[in-house]
Amino acid sequence: MRDLDVLVLGGGAAGLMCAIEAAKRGRKVLVIDHAKKPAEKIRISGGGRCNFTNIHCAPANFLSRNPRFCVSALKRYSQHDFLSLVEKHRIPWHEKTLGQLFCDDSARDIIRMLLDELEAAGSTLQLETEIRAVSKPDDRFSVATSKGPLRAHSLVVATGGPSIPKMGATGFGYELARQFGLEVIAPRAALVPLTFSDANKELCGRLSGVSVDAKVSFGKTAFREGLLFTHRGLSGPSILQISSYWQEGQPISVNLVPEADVFEVLRQARQETPKQELKTALGLLLPNRLAEELSGTFSLKGRLADQSDKVLRRAAEQLDRWQLTPVGTEGYRTAEVTLGGVDTRELSSKTMESSKVPGLYFIGEVVDVTGHLGGFNFQWAWSSGHAAGQFA
Ligand code: FDA
């Protein structure tokens, strides 16, 4: 039986950050993970370059049943604090777009940084360790693992959400929360491509590979970023962002030409080139393949000279407010994150500790706090991990 002050379940972004901070306080800390390698999601993130934070990170970039829950942790360990750590380790980085910070070379630099910090703080990471059972028979937690029993005063759950099961992701954290009587907000795949059926699916398939700058909305929420047609439906940053807000059975609205006044462009084209086909004129605004397909879908036919203002206005409206109802999402197989998770009402926003079970902490993606695309999810992992690390 190994006795510990702090046992961290999950050696991903949040778990490693928490272990570093707790060990710096002189606590005896062990991190266990069932995977062969640590922090696999960091390795594959940001196309291998890890979008490790966002310079504009603010509470408004997070979804949660309690939108205020993240405020304290984000304030106490901000994007600037994480950036200082990256700079201390001389990791070259750059800002890509919209405040997104990436490694110049490789996401592995971030993993190496965390493991170096972990070692320097005097904590260890034990991989390929299955968790068999967790209990709290007295004032300490007992954890049965494939590598023997462990006991700890504080147990930190940092096992993430079920997104991308082939990376070792599980819903273990939710089961553990329920075992200890904590509420879990129903999880759902987020930052995930949307799928379509019938004519829209076929249309997307024919346009597979075409991308445009678009403004995609659901209700009052809108994102202006890239949109990509795929064989299954729609993807790209604007679609991934809106997937976190989209509700089943309801349409999303796509503005395919957010930059220009479509009616004005078409009206001017009618004046200057009246013999031009309407679908050719759409090519002034959209990639040719898309213009061709949409002129069929929206029945935009004939020469410009023959189109009334009313017809041009209708065409503009169709391109500005294309209504599409997804049938679903690609699910956890490709989702970057999971919405929902351990109900924040169960946790202290200062320490991440459960109010029902003293010594039990939840951090990172397992908690009902989900960031927008763009480095926000890692920032939540760093901030919540740091918060728990001060108290566990
Ligand atoms: P995380 O999933 O990182 O770690 C959990 C750990 O627990 C894993 O090591 C896992 O093996 C372990 N574990 C799980 N179940 C276990 C069990 N039963 N027993 C033992 N161990 C267990 N975010 C961002 O901000 N910028 C980005 O660029 C990207 N890019 C990106 C790309 C892709 C493809 C994905 C899937 C996700 C992203 N993300 C992202 C999201 C980001 O990866 C995610 O929010 C964080 O990794 C969450 O950190 P956690 O530490 O909470 O969980």
Side-chain angles (χ1 to χ4, degrees):
M1 176 77 74
R2 262 174 90 183
D3 273 308
L4 302 154
D5 294 324
V6 183
L7 176 60
V8 179
L9 308 182
L16 293 176
M17 178 56 91
C18 176
I20 292 164
E21 289 300 317
K24 277 190 199 164
R25 289 170 39 236
R27 304 283 277 162
K28 193 172 161 196
V29 185
L30 176 70
V31 186
I32 60 171
D33 199 299
H34 64 174
K36 283 199 175 87
K37 291 180 186 163
E40 278 290 86
K41 278 198 187 163
I42 297 182
R43 185 180 60 78
I44 61 160
S45 68
R49 291 221 163 89
C50 186
N51 177 193
F52 54 80
T53 192
N54 192 296
I55 209 68
H56 306 305
C57 187
N61 299 112
F62 295 86
L63 291 89
S64 170
R65 202 167 272 189
N66 174 5
R68 304 289 304 158
F69 182 81
C70 61
V71 172
S72 168
L74 291 174
K75 199 185 275 178
R76 281 177 298 133
Y77 190 81
S78 72
Q79 60 271 33
H80 307 291
D81 295 314
F82 190 76
L83 189 55
S84 301
L85 184 63
V86 167
E87 292 194 323
K88 182 181 126 192
H89 285 258
R90 298 178 195 280
I91 297 173
W93 61 273
H94 61 279
E95 179 178 339
K96 205 170 169 185
T97 153
L98 302 171
Q100 301 169 6
L101 305 192
F102 284 77
C103 297
D104 284 357
D105 300 327
S106 166
R108 289 175 205 271
D109 290 345
I110 299 291
I111 302 176
R112 204 170 305 120
M113 172 187 87
L114 294 169
L115 295 180
D116 286 351
E117 286 281 327
L118 190 74
E119 198 186 336
S123 170
T124 36
L125 166 65
Q126 186 179 294
L127 296 165
E128 296 182 273
T129 305
E130 304 291 334
I131 304 158
R132 300 211 165 124
V134 179
S135 60
K136 196 180 185 207
D138 44 45
D139 63 336
R140 282 189 286 173
F141 292 89
S142 289
V143 179
T145 80
S146 54
K147 293 195 172 162
L150 300 164
R151 270 159 65 87
H153 286 284
S154 296
L155 186 70
V156 182
V157 185
T159 47
S163 296
I164 322 237
K166 73 167 193 237
M167 302 294 303
T170 67
F172 172 83
Y174 309 145
E175 288 160 35
L176 196 68
R178 289 192 192 103
Q179 180 196 325
F180 282 99
L182 275 63
E183 289 295 322
V184 174
I185 310 269
R188 171 162 91 84
L191 298 183
V192 62
L194 297 173
T195 56
F196 294 85
S197 62
D198 308 327
N200 281 337
K201 184 180 178 193
E202 284 165 27
L203 176 72
C204 290
R206 287 196 298 278
L207 288 167
S208 179
V210 171
S211 67
V212 284
D213 172 33
K215 185 171 166 192
V216 182
S217 328
F218 182 78
K220 288 190 176 130
T221 309
F223 292 94
R224 165 118 186 245
E225 285 180 71
L227 175 149
L228 174 71
F229 291 87
T230 74
H231 282 292
R232 288 186 210 91
L234 295 176
S235 186
S238 60
I239 292 294
L240 300 187
Q241 299 277 33
I242 215 69
S243 73
S244 300
Y245 291 85
W246 172 68
Q247 280 161 26
E248 240 172 85
Q250 301 200 33
I252 56 167
S253 176
V254 178
N255 180 346
L256 289 164
V257 195
E259 195 67 4
D261 180 335
V262 175
F263 173 70
E264 266 314 311
V265 172
L266 293 178
R267 203 173 60 92
Q268 210 170 329
R270 185 179 60 189
Q271 231 167 350
E272 288 164 11
T273 53
K275 288 186 185 157
Q276 194 176 42
E277 288 288 313
L278 177 52
K279 74 175 177 193
T280 314
L282 291 181
L284 298 169
L285 298 157
L286 298 168
N288 286 340
R289 261 169 79 195
L290 184 56
E292 174 92 18
E293 281 293 342
L294 290 185
S295 58
T297 304
F298 299 149
S299 305
L300 304 172
K301 296 192 189 92
R303 292 185 320 164
L304 281 171
D306 303 329
Q307 313 298 327
S308 63
D309 276 6
K310 194 174 161 197
V311 170
L312 296 189
R313 272 193 212 285
R314 192 168 52 92
E317 196 161 306
Q318 281 162 322
L319 298 189
D320 285 346
R321 281 192 288 279
W322 187 19
Q323 303 290 306
L324 290 144
T325 304
V327 286
T329 73
E330 287 189 8
Y332 293 129
R333 192 178 59 80
T334 60
E336 280 202 14
V337 285
T338 310
L339 273 174
V342 176
D343 193 331
T344 57
R345 283 177 303 185
E346 302 282 7
L347 308 175
S348 153
S349 62
K350 187 174 172 202
T351 65
M352 305 292 140
E353 187 179 13
S354 154
S355 40
K356 278 184 193 144
V357 187
L360 182 62
Y361 296 76
F362 289 86
I363 55 173
E365 196 179 324
V366 73
V367 179
D368 173 35
V369 174
T370 308
H372 288 167
L373 188 77
F376 303 101
N377 285 295
F378 277 135
Q379 187 56 48
W380 171 245
W382 316 134
S383 298
S384 59
H386 185 275
Q390 309 308 310
F391 297 92

